[in-house]
Amino acid sequence: MMSQAFKVVFKKEVTENLRDKRTVMSSLVMSAVLGPLMMLGLIIMTTNMTKGKAEEQLELPVINVSGAQNLEQFLLSQGVKIVPLGDKTPEQAIKDKDHDVILEIDENYAADFNAGRVATVKLYFDGSAKGTANISVRKARSLVNAYSSSIGALRLQLRGISPNIMKAVSIQSHDQASLESKGGQMMTFLPYFLILILFSGSMYLAIDTTAGEKERKSLEPLFLNPAKRSDILAGKLAATITFGLLTLVLTMIVFKITLPFYPQKKLGLSLDLGMYKILIMLVVLMPLAVVASAIQTIIASFSKSFKEAQTYVGLLILLPMIPSLLLMFMSVKEKLWMMLVPILSQNLIINQIIRGEEPGMSAILVTIFGTLFFGVVLAWFAVRLYNKETMLFSD
Amino acid sequence: MIQVDRISKSFGEVQAVKEVSLVAEDGKITALLGANGAGKTTSMRMIYALIKPETGVVMVDGINSTENPVAARARMGVLPDARGLYKRLTARENMEYFGRLQGMSEADIKRRADELIQRLGMEKFADRQTDGFSQGQRVKVAIARAIIHDPQNILLDEPTNGLDVMSTRAIRAFLREEKARGKCVLFSSHVMQEVSAVCDEITVVDAGAICATGTEQELLALTQEQNLEDAFVNLVTQKSTVGGVS
């Protein structure tokens, strides 16, 4: 199986590419080192933003505030800072993102309130706004609700009725999300990130050893040696897989080193990833290196030049995004058959690990062998591509 | 020795090579002479077993190259039209890579590389990475790499294309030495002076088919011209003399 040509080609591709600063920079340094650092930075930044907004004093413009002096007193006592709106209409002010939320007291508020009718206030906000704006809206809404029920309770008591008459059912919340699974919400993009790094780690060699070699016109002389083309290609593919794995292992090491720096307390989560869990993540990802290398080699083989190959392979990298994105927004119950689907299975298992669950041994084994089988089929196809004469020339 | 018997190849509608036959003997330099696009490169690619002929046979030292391309390739050293080097490897490493793929021992590779570096005058750049080499330096490395295993048959596709006088002379002298060592040298060219200067046997191809075969003297006699260039023009324009001399 291991022919002389396979070993010679493998050794040469590895040595040659280690000498290339561009490869070493792009796969090893950029992906493996900067990647995890960037992820850490991103998480620290988002937690600081969310946390800050939640603790911050709510600034609330109230229109027609003189019509509801009790409510104003209540808001002030709850630490709300009532600010002037300015010249704009509330609609415009929200649109221009001057304020996250605006409260308007209805003109009949005082009359209705005094007569014991339902008094109206209007809340302006942008329901599609991203991130921390929702926190302000939630705060304003709950403040008004709290005021409303406290007044309601007072009115019932005045009439000699227990306010509890209004509460037929009371909800006691028991959130079963473990600390880890809350951390999981923040970390759902970790599998995508690791898979992406695996693809990008092997991308350069996949292109360089095929389309690149064709473009530099060294493929024809290479095939004139007394070796089977499939053996030569197998050597190239093995070198590509090696670089993918090298990048992956380095990334995992850097990720493990940066773990203690994640703002776990602030997030209220525990990212308890011991060596054992990191190793499971590594072994389920490793067979994916074969898939990533083979599929990128196939695509690059059909390209005539390095640039053309880069374009196609760049599009391919969007592929592993699909299962990752789906899982970010959908709750999926893990089933064993899903572990047969490469990329999906890695996503599921890594997500389980992040949530603090133990993935079953059968799931891990099915993932490893399912992905490996798929990878071997692709690799078998990749090493035979150049047996077709039309694939040999770029002109 | 290379024997080519009526090989043909077409790409889609275009018949690139039609029933080309030739014999390149040991101890001789044989040329495949033809204009650009005459089918030289395609013929050469079939002869050195990169692509398969649709009809006909190529025998390399008695080995059928269609049936046994790997064994046939081991008997040949080929400088193809595409002669890209690995620019992050040194000239010597380029040679070593191909030596290993030829299955040579490390000791043989070392000995043979030293010999070729000395004979082709590559001492100054042998241990430099080939990135930035001049055209002449690149061709020398490509030739040395192609014949690292000291093959009996040496095939070159337009070896001196784009080279200066000094490099051209060095390569011609080298090919004559190989001929003197009893090797079979076959090269394709469109340069008359070159063919005239080094070749013993000439096969003229035009539009994928053979026009004439013979020594330079025979071709001149056949066409009643004074020089090879005129003889060539005569042969490819009139085509009255198909069949050849020898």
Side-chain angles (χ1 to χ4, degrees):
Chain A
M1 176 72 199
M2 287 261 275
S3 69
Q4 169 77 5
F6 171 86
K7 281 182 274 183
V8 171
V9 172
F10 171 76
K11 221 176 118 188
K12 175 255 169 189
E13 294 295 355
V14 171
T15 338
E16 194 192 14
N17 278 288
L18 279 177
R19 275 188 201 169
D20 184 15
K21 289 195 189 76
R22 207 160 36 144
T23 321
V24 175
M25 274 302 285
S26 77
S27 32
L28 302 183
V29 181
M30 292 296 275
S31 318
V33 180
L34 286 184
L37 287 180
M38 245 171 61
M39 190 165 91
L40 175 65
L42 213 73
I43 289 213
I44 290 182
M45 220 172 72
T46 38
T47 37
N48 280 349
M49 266 168 62
T50 334
K51 202 77 184 175
K53 201 77 177 183
E55 284 163 357
E56 223 172 61
Q57 190 183 31
L58 176 64
E59 288 190 3
L60 183 65
V62 184
I63 302 166
N64 203 5
V65 69
S66 55
Q69 279 164 358
N70 277 335
L71 179 56
E72 184 188 4
Q73 284 306 314
F74 175 79
L75 289 175
L76 288 174
S77 73
Q78 294 296 314
V80 176
K81 188 176 172 196
I82 295 180
V83 295
L85 178 61
D87 306 333
K88 288 182 183 167
T89 61
E91 288 89 349
Q92 194 59 42
I94 292 290
K95 213 172 165 190
D96 295 347
K97 297 192 171 38
D98 293 348
H99 301 284
D100 293 336
V101 57
I102 296 168
L103 186 68
E104 183 179 346
I105 311 292
D106 194 78
E107 21 185 290
N108 297 324
Y109 180 94
D112 286 338
F113 190 88
N114 291 333
R117 289 191 297 267
V118 178
T120 317
V121 297
K122 285 182 191 159
L123 209 56
Y124 294 91
F125 59 91
D126 178 0
S128 68
K130 304 265 169 337
T132 56
N134 288 322
I135 296 174
S136 307
V137 179
R138 261 205 312 273
K139 263 186 177 175
R141 191 190 289 278
S142 67
L143 281 170
V144 176
N145 277 335
Y147 175 69
S148 166
S149 39
S150 73
I151 297 295
L154 272 176
R155 286 179 180 169
L156 287 175
Q157 275 173 344
L158 276 175
R159 287 159 180 80
I161 302 168
S162 161
N164 283 341
I165 207 100
M166 287 295 293
K167 278 189 190 162
V169 178
S170 128
I171 301 172
Q172 279 189 332
S173 298
H174 292 269
D175 189 354
Q176 292 305 298
S178 56
L179 279 181
E180 282 96 342
S181 73
K182 273 186 188 151
Q185 281 176 352
M186 289 297 293
M187 301 293 285
T188 35
F189 64 94
L190 181 71
Y192 171 62
F193 172 79
L194 291 173
I195 293 167
L196 193 70
I197 278 183
L198 193 53
F199 271 76
S200 75
S202 45
M203 178 168 94
Y204 190 85
L205 256 79
I207 299 176
D208 188 69
T209 57
T210 54
E213 184 139 19
K214 205 191 281 188
E215 185 177 82
R216 289 191 303 272
K217 296 198 176 298
S218 52
L219 196 64
E220 187 177 337
L222 177 62
F223 283 152
L224 293 177
N225 287 294
K228 278 200 239 146
R229 282 176 205 168
S230 51
D231 286 350
I232 293 176
L233 259 293
K236 286 167 174 288
L237 186 61
T240 308
I241 294 171
T242 305
F243 267 74
L245 287 177
L246 203 62
T247 315
L248 175 70
V249 170
L250 259 174
T251 309
M252 294 298 283
I253 292 173
V254 177
F255 176 65
K256 175 79 180 144
I257 293 171
T258 54
L259 259 183
F261 300 99
Y262 279 81
Q264 310 200 10
K265 266 197 193 129
K266 243 184 189 169
L267 283 168
L269 62 87
S270 115
L271 259 179
D272 180 23
L273 296 176
M275 215 50 200
Y276 174 69
K277 286 184 174 174
I278 296 274
L279 279 178
I280 291 186
M281 281 159 84
L282 196 62
V283 294
V284 296
L285 282 168
M286 277 164 87
L288 202 54
V290 182
V291 175
S293 302
I295 206 166
Q296 293 185 102
T297 300
I298 290 169
I299 291 178
S301 297
F302 281 107
S303 315
K304 288 182 167 60
S305 69
F306 200 98
K307 272 200 174 152
E308 192 188 338
Q310 241 173 350
T311 314
Y312 297 145
V313 172
L315 286 174
L316 174 83
I317 282 194
L318 298 177
L319 187 79
M321 245 170 100
I322 300 167
S324 306
L325 277 178
L326 282 180
L327 291 177
M328 269 182 221
F329 298 111
M330 287 179 357
S331 186
V332 173
K333 174 97 194 77
E334 293 91 357
K335 302 237 171 59
L336 203 56
W337 68 262
M338 293 179 185
M339 303 301 168
L340 281 171
V341 186
I343 297 174
L344 177 65
S345 58
Q346 277 82 11
N347 266 292
L348 289 171
I349 289 197
I350 295 172
N351 274 333
Q352 270 186 311
I353 293 175
I354 298 170
R355 283 201 308 266
E357 299 169 22
E358 286 269 336
M361 195 42 85
S362 53
I364 293 174
L365 289 178
V366 172
T367 299
I368 292 174
F369 288 105
T371 306
L372 206 56
F373 174 76
F374 193 67
V376 167
V377 170
L378 283 173
W380 186 87
F381 185 62
V383 300
R384 269 156 191 78
L385 271 182
Y386 281 99
N387 288 343
K388 267 190 74 171
E389 286 177 5
T390 44
M391 298 290 291
L392 295 173
F393 313 110
S394 54
D395 41 32
Chain B
M1 175 150 124
I2 293 171
Q3 293 151 295
V4 179
D5 187 23
R6 285 170 291 163
I7 53 170
S8 308
K9 186 84 180 175
S10 50
F11 300 107
E13 296 285 289
V14 187
Q15 176 121 40
V17 174
K18 286 171 234 163
E19 308 229 314
V20 164
S21 302
L22 63 88
V23 176
E25 288 173 46
D26 290 346
K28 277 191 178 170
I29 299 182
T30 309
L32 194 60
L33 179 64
N36 293 328
K40 295 190 300 288
T41 297
T42 305
S43 301
M44 291 293 273
R45 280 175 176 165
M46 284 189 279
I47 296 171
Y48 56 65
L50 183 73
I51 58 178
K52 287 198 174 102
E54 276 152 12
T55 67
V57 212
V58 176
M59 301 292 275
V60 180
D61 293 339
I63 299 168
N64 184 325
S65 78
T66 319
E67 285 167 8
N68 199 345
V70 172
R73 276 189 217 124
R75 310 282 313 163
M76 291 186 281
V78 183
L79 178 75
D81 178 40
R83 52 193 64 161
L85 302 176
Y86 299 103
K87 59 182 186 193
R88 294 187 294 269
L89 298 184
T90 66
R92 189 186 287 276
E93 286 169 335
N94 267 281
M95 295 159 70
E96 287 168 350
Y97 181 37
F98 275 38
R100 289 183 193 121
L101 285 172
Q102 288 285 353
M104 297 167 72
S105 72
E106 290 300 314
D108 283 349
I109 292 174
K110 169 92 176 68
R111 186 185 48 74
R112 179 73 176 154
D114 286 340
E115 178 200 329
L116 287 169
I117 287 167
Q118 185 258 320
R119 280 177 61 196
L120 282 161
M122 296 162 49
E123 292 90 345
K124 278 186 189 150
F125 52 87
D127 292 302
R128 260 173 41 203
Q129 292 192 11
T130 65
D131 198 10
F133 271 26
S134 74
Q135 182 86 348
Q137 290 171 330
R138 283 208 296 271
V139 173
K140 282 179 180 175
V141 179
I143 291 180
R145 183 176 75 172
I147 59 168
I148 183 81
H149 55 303
D150 201 10
Q152 176 59 28
N153 305 283
I154 301 174
L155 293 84
L156 311 99
D157 197 351
E158 313 234 356
T160 59
N161 218 357
L163 295 191
D164 61 24
V165 182
M166 295 312 291
S167 306
T168 305
R169 285 194 170 187
I171 284 162
R172 282 183 194 165
F174 181 81
L175 293 180
R176 286 198 196 95
E177 279 172 41
E178 289 297 300
K179 167 188 157 186
R181 292 176 65 216
K183 303 285 179 177
C184 162
V185 180
L186 170 63
F187 78 79
S188 73
S189 181
H190 66 270
V191 186
M192 307 298 153
Q193 302 90 308
E194 169 128 295
V195 170
S196 178
V198 291
C199 292
D200 304 307
E201 290 285 332
I202 302 166
T203 297
V204 180
V205 282
D206 186 54
I210 299 219
C211 298
T213 307
T215 63
E216 184 179 3
Q217 290 312 314
E218 285 168 338
L219 292 180
L220 293 180
L222 177 74
T223 54
Q224 297 180 335
E225 299 283 358
Q226 296 307 306
N227 60 57
L228 188 59
E229 186 172 319
D230 290 339
F232 176 77
V233 173
N234 183 317
L235 283 168
V236 301
T237 49
Q238 302 198 356
K239 298 214 182 139
S240 51
T241 47
V242 174
V245 186
S246 64

